[in-house]
Amino acid sequence: MARSRQRAVVTGGAGFVGSHLCRHLLDTGTAVLALDNFATSAPDNIAALLDRPGFEFVRHDVTEPFPEIGCADIVFHLASAASPPDYLRLPLETLRAGSLGTANALELAERHRARFVLASTSEVYGDPGVHPQPESYWGHVNPVGPRSVYDEAKRYAEALTMAYRRERGANTAIARIFNTYGPRMRADDGRMVPTFIAQALSGAPLTVAGTGEQTRSLCYVEDTVRGLHALANSGHPGPVNIGNPHELSVRALAEEVRAAIGSRSALEYIDGPVDDPQRRCPDITLARRELDWQPRIDRTEGLRRTIDWFAGRTLPPAHTLSP
Ligand code: NAD
């Protein structure tokens, strides 16, 4: 009997982006099975989803073979440490999630003849020599630096995805996600938006890494998950950049957060991380043309929603960051 409702598997479904993706899929009529081992997240993120019809959760490490999961139309593979402190703390786990985890998720998609969507990253461009970065740019990555555990895991995951597509005819897509922010980031995950917000809310100095002149382009999480869903629903193989092309310096972001909160915290300049990309901005021509997608939430609105969310919570003691 034909099923009336699509069903998606979301690995890393309890994470920051994954939990928003699960909610978005449920809101738009897709049933969801989320899998996660809570390596870098907590059950809180999905607590509000557990009672929703069509939502299921299984605790599972994607580097192990998948359990019997029932049917699947789409497999979104997000499971991986993603923030620099997390992947530097979990280097081998990060490489395993990108390699073994991606292979297991591809096998699962193939078994169910499901569409496979890889959550790759702008980090595949490394410290880019081309600006803004189109998908055709091959990147500038240090393969043996400390960040390589993440960058190269994702580059391998992209290569594996393309090999399944070419060799086995798998229905695959690659999304290159740029810096995403929003509610449910961990205040202590080391990424710049939650770090600046937590510092400004607690009156601590805002720690700007390096000169602060390095740039980032920030996409609100609702826009990112809409982009991932649009890619899943298209026939496009990617890679497709999913990000917000409004670029700003890290120092300017710190000042914006401080002004939005009305904080008098000082900016404190600290050493930048090794191999920190100096410029980061997506060229989203392809996503606009092929997915009819572009970000809708501007930074003022996105920061307001994120600050409101953090302001309603008990924050850990102030700490520093590595954006
Ligand atoms: P996150 O750390 O909040 O979420 C990742 C989730 O994966 C966590 O819930 C973690 O517990 C889970 N996980 C890690 N290893 C696992 C394993 N072996 N088995 C099962 N679950 C595992 O990070 P996020 O920001 O939500 O990122 C989600 C995905 O999007 C990642 O693949 C990341 O590389 C990609 N991405 C995110 C951004 C961003 O700005 N947030 C940018 C580019 C790419």
Side-chain angles (χ1 to χ4, degrees):
M1 199 174 70
R3 284 181 291 119
S4 58
R5 194 177 186 188
Q6 269 205 331
R7 185 164 186 257
V9 172
V10 180
T11 77
F16 159 55
V17 176
S19 60
H20 283 275
L21 177 61
C22 291
R23 184 198 38 74
H24 170 83
L25 291 168
L26 292 167
D27 288 350
T28 52
T30 300
V32 174
L33 169 64
L35 298 160
D36 206 297
N37 68 350
F38 300 120
T40 59
S41 62
D44 266 11
N45 280 352
I46 49 165
L49 301 178
L50 290 174
D51 289 338
R52 289 193 56 170
F55 183 75
E56 291 162 86
F57 176 79
V58 172
R59 187 172 186 141
H60 176 70
D61 180 335
V62 293
T63 65
E64 303 290 336
F66 278 75
E68 186 40 61
I69 55 122
C71 57
D73 303 291
I74 314 171
V75 174
F76 290 97
H77 180 45
L78 276 68
S80 166
S83 84
D86 284 342
Y87 62 68
L88 294 175
R89 177 174 58 85
L90 300 168
L92 299 177
E93 290 86 344
T94 303
L95 283 160
R96 279 202 289 266
S99 52
L100 284 175
T102 303
N104 285 334
L106 278 159
E107 289 288 330
L108 180 81
E110 191 175 53
R111 264 200 311 280
H112 292 273
R113 294 193 168 74
R115 178 141 166 93
F116 175 84
V117 179
L118 174 69
S120 185
T121 171
S122 57
E123 299 287 339
V124 300
Y125 300 126
D127 188 6
V130 169
H131 198 76
Q133 294 86 57
E135 292 82 354
S136 54
Y137 177 54
W138 290 355
H140 178 224
V141 172
N142 174 358
V144 294
R147 300 174 77 100
S148 65
V149 297
Y150 182 65
D151 304 1
E152 296 291 5
K154 291 290 184 179
R155 288 169 71 97
Y156 175 85
E158 288 199 7
L160 191 64
T161 300
M162 290 307 296
Y164 268 73
R165 182 176 185 88
R166 292 194 184 101
E167 270 301 296
R168 314 251 283 245
N171 179 3
T172 62
I174 296 170
R176 290 189 180 147
I177 304 171
F178 282 64
N179 289 59
T180 294
Y181 72 102
R184 291 207 285 277
M185 294 184 92
R186 296 193 336 261
D188 61 354
D189 88 352
R191 289 185 273 199
M192 59 189 175
V193 171
T195 304
F196 290 155
I197 292 176
Q199 290 169 331
L201 285 174
S202 63
L206 272 61
T207 47
V208 175
T211 62
E213 295 309 315
Q214 70 276 29
T215 65
R216 296 294 185 267
S217 307
L218 297 172
C219 195
Y220 188 66
V221 65
E222 238 174 72
D223 284 328
T224 299
V225 301
R226 250 191 334 101
L228 292 175
H229 197 195
L231 179 58
N233 285 336
S234 77
H236 203 281
V240 181
N241 289 338
I242 300 291
N244 189 317
H246 290 128
E247 181 183 7
L248 86 167
S249 72
V250 171
R251 180 181 45 73
L253 175 72
E255 285 166 352
E256 272 186 22
V257 168
R258 187 168 63 171
I261 290 176
S263 148
R264 299 160 72 106
S265 296
L267 301 193
E268 182 183 309
Y269 291 85
I270 60 170
D271 287 345
V274 178
D275 299 332
D276 194 28
Q278 290 309 296
R279 297 191 74 181
R280 188 46 72 63
C281 181
D283 177 336
I284 61 164
T285 309
L286 188 65
R288 283 197 171 108
R289 193 182 65 224
E290 296 294 329
L291 310 181
D292 194 22
W293 175 89
Q294 62 183 352
R296 290 180 188 153
I297 312 275
D298 68 20
R299 209 167 49 244
T300 309
E301 175 62 13
L303 282 179
R304 189 191 60 73
R305 293 188 197 180
T306 311
I307 290 167
D308 285 353
W309 185 82
F310 275 100
R313 306 175 68 80
T314 311
L315 297 175
H319 37 73
T320 51
L321 84 167
S322 65

